[in-house]
Amino acid sequence: MIRINENYLKLKSSYLFSEISRRVNAFQEEHPDREIIRMGIGDVTLPLPSEIIKAFHAGVEEMADSKTFRGYGPEQGYDFLRETVAQNDYRSRGADISTDEVFISDGAKCDTGNFQELFSNDTRIAIPDPVYPVYVDTNVMAGRTGINNNGRYENLVYMNCTNANGFIPELPSEEVDLIYLCFPNNPTGAVITKEQLKSWVEFAHKNRALILYDAAYESFIRDNSLPKTIYEIDGAREVAVEFRSFSKTAGFTGTRCAFTVVPKDCMAYDATGNKHSIHSMWNRRHTTKFNGVSYPVQKAAEAVYSPEGKKQVKEIIDYYMENAKIIKEKMTALGYESTGGDNSPYIWINTKTDSWKFFDMLLTKLGIVCTPGEGFGRCGEGYIRISAFNDRENVVKAMEKISGL
Ligand code: PLP
């Protein structure tokens, strides 16, 4: 008899987006003539820029010619892309990352979800609340938690991110082994300073812990004093793995390309305390379970770093950040406190009421869809997330409607 992994039964159904759809569909059925503006989506709206498309096409053409055709590529990614990433995203910022420490993949979602596989089942895990749900659910599936009680899984160490701490988690008072951090943050849009990040690196050293640092929104950082990578912090090479993605940076959500940096200095321990290289383990896992990102996609990703590619990508990010500015200014003028929007595409708004109530009010009165914060964790109650990934026209129209409330 085939038996299930019963840890799956512990998973709280990811009701957030299905509940949003249910409410939006019900509203639309009742009011077929009303316009709906979706301000909750975490997906990009602008197409891939021409320089990237050009490289993508050239890669496809190479596949059509027997002289340049390629079959399986290296699982870890082609050296041309690994080297370009290591040079442009790290070494040019003074972060000492070598080409073979960069693992190209088809998404930061899979990598942030899969990385926990390397660690023992009794790993003590620190999770921010609110949180990108992938970190939690993959640990539930792996059996590292108890059941969900009132929106929180037993055996996880939740780090509350609230207005009181500026949505930056405080160092846990108990011992933890694996720490998930995400900056700029989804959903709060909060960013971390070098000083704050330094305290996490020191904490990880002290506890022989590992930080999984999700920097999927790094390209939205405007303030040059903020760290763009955790490897700008001394000592991070020994205690941190970093996840990045071309999804939001360059419009690859549907194209799929990302990378994970695993420094060779990162170590984890067996039951007798012997050190093992996390780089070697991830290399083993990646080459066993993954067969590489397609060649044309990697050529397209390489073009993100060409001078023209950089210029075009910057224009796209500037466009979304202008949306963020419009949203933030309008909500501030209306008296709503918020975080995010300055160095991130998400604006996290304190509604001073129940987040679903506010969601329903925006939907039924104005036809605007946002994301209720409660869906990201207990600390999200009372907040909504508005996304800057949208057409300007929609953003302006939505903000005009909100102003008229
Ligand atoms: N990490 C965070 C914090 C995200 O918000 C997202 C996507 O929304 C991802 C990772 C996933 O990125 P990718 O498209 O590379 O899988």
Side-chain angles (χ1 to χ4, degrees):
M1 181 178 71
I2 178 71
R3 294 215 15 226
I4 61 162
N5 171 355
E6 293 196 13
N7 295 311
Y8 276 63
L9 302 179
K10 295 179 199 158
L11 286 167
K12 210 169 148 246
S13 64
S14 68
Y15 90 117
L16 175 65
F17 291 101
S18 55
E19 182 58 21
I20 292 174
S21 298
R22 194 189 65 74
R23 293 190 193 205
V24 172
N25 291 342
F27 176 76
Q28 202 140 43
E29 257 172 44
E30 266 175 50
H31 307 92
D33 303 332
R34 289 278 299 274
E35 183 194 20
I36 304 266
I37 307 179
R38 291 170 202 274
M39 300 294 290
I41 35 171
D43 195 358
V44 295
T45 56
L46 294 173
L48 291 172
S50 62
E51 197 63 14
I52 291 170
I53 286 293
K54 204 164 78 190
F56 205 169
H57 276 295
V60 171
E61 289 303 326
E62 283 186 60
M63 298 301 263
D65 184 335
S66 60
K67 287 196 241 22
T68 48
F69 169 77
R70 289 160 193 253
Y72 289 124
E75 293 96 336
Q76 303 91 334
Y78 284 101
D79 270 349
F80 66 76
L81 182 56
R82 301 177 87 188
E83 173 58 21
T84 302
V85 166
Q87 179 55 38
N88 284 272
D89 283 325
Y90 295 99
R91 292 200 291 267
S92 71
R93 300 193 62 83
D96 168 28
I97 294 298
S98 64
T99 305
D100 60 353
E101 290 174 328
V102 176
F103 291 83
I104 308 297
S105 81
D106 60 355
K109 183 181 194 176
C110 337
D111 286 357
T112 54
N114 289 328
F115 215 86
Q116 48 75 29
E117 266 186 54
L118 305 189
F119 308 112
S120 76
N121 248 40
D122 56 0
T123 298
R124 295 160 300 182
I125 294 161
I127 292 272
D129 177 351
V131 69
Y132 176 58
V134 173
Y135 318 149
V136 175
D137 287 2
T138 49
N139 277 292
V140 175
M141 290 169 176
R144 290 199 188 85
T145 71
I147 56 163
N148 191 295
N149 244 334
N150 254 334
R152 284 193 165 180
Y153 289 96
E154 290 171 350
N155 302 348
L156 289 182
V157 174
Y158 284 93
M159 305 182 286
N160 293 341
C161 299
T162 63
N163 200 30
N165 55 26
F167 302 94
I168 306 293
E170 282 147 37
L171 301 176
S173 49
E174 56 204 290
E175 282 182 30
V176 294
D177 311 303
L178 190 62
I179 301 151
Y180 287 84
L181 295 179
C182 172
F183 291 106
N185 190 264
N186 178 14
T188 69
V191 285
I192 195 162
T193 64
K194 279 189 188 158
E195 214 37 49
Q196 287 165 327
L197 199 49
K198 187 164 166 265
S199 71
W200 278 102
V201 168
E202 284 167 5
F203 177 87
H205 269 275
K206 214 180 287 165
N207 290 277
R208 292 200 287 176
L210 183 76
I211 298 170
L212 297 184
Y213 192 73
D214 186 344
Y217 297 94
E218 158 277 333
S219 54
F220 295 86
I221 294 175
R222 291 293 176 90
D223 178 344
N224 283 332
S225 71
L226 295 171
K228 297 273 258 177
T229 158
I230 195 166
Y231 305 115
E232 285 177 39
I233 310 299
D234 283 345
R237 274 186 58 84
E238 291 92 50
V239 293
V241 165
E242 181 166 291
F243 304 93
R244 293 265 193 108
S245 174
F246 295 102
S247 283
K248 310 297 163 77
T249 302
F252 276 61
T253 50
T255 308
R256 311 305 304 145
C257 198
F259 59 90
T260 291
V261 177
V262 189
K264 291 188 194 133
D265 297 343
C266 274
M267 296 290 156
Y269 304 85
D270 64 24
T272 47
N274 296 318
K275 278 186 189 175
H276 297 270
S277 156
I278 294 178
H279 179 276
S280 299
M281 288 180 73
W282 183 248
N283 189 53
R284 187 73 169 90
R285 191 231 167 255
H286 200 72
T287 53
T288 302
K289 294 195 176 183
F290 186 63
N291 240 346
V293 173
S294 85
Y295 174 73
V297 169
Q298 293 193 57
K299 287 306 281 181
E302 184 191 26
V304 169
Y305 299 93
S306 71
E308 188 56 26
K310 279 182 184 165
K311 191 172 146 262
Q312 292 181 356
V313 162
K314 185 178 173 300
E315 280 164 12
I316 291 180
I317 290 170
D318 286 349
Y319 179 88
Y320 292 131
M321 290 310 284
E322 181 61 24
N323 286 350
K325 187 165 165 251
I326 293 169
I327 297 165
K328 181 139 180 136
E329 281 179 0
K330 190 56 85 180
M331 296 309 286
T332 306
L334 291 170
Y336 290 99
E337 282 173 6
S338 63
T339 53
D342 301 319
N343 295 286
S344 97
Y346 297 124
I347 299 102
W348 184 243
I349 296 162
N350 188 351
T351 67
K352 301 221 167 80
T353 174
D354 175 86
S355 28
W356 279 108
K357 224 192 236 170
F358 198 83
F359 171 91
D360 285 335
M361 188 274 290
L362 283 186
L363 176 64
T364 55
K365 288 203 168 147
L366 307 175
I368 292 173
V369 183
C370 64
T371 312
E374 192 213 300
F376 297 100
R378 195 184 281 174
C379 293
E381 274 171 25
Y383 287 81
I384 56 159
R385 188 191 77 177
I386 293 191
S387 159
F389 295 121
N390 218 322
D391 295 335
R392 178 70 42 77
E393 203 185 306
N394 279 342
V395 170
V396 170
K397 207 191 287 174
M399 288 305 122
E400 276 168 6
K401 285 186 180 211
I402 291 179
S403 301
L405 252 185

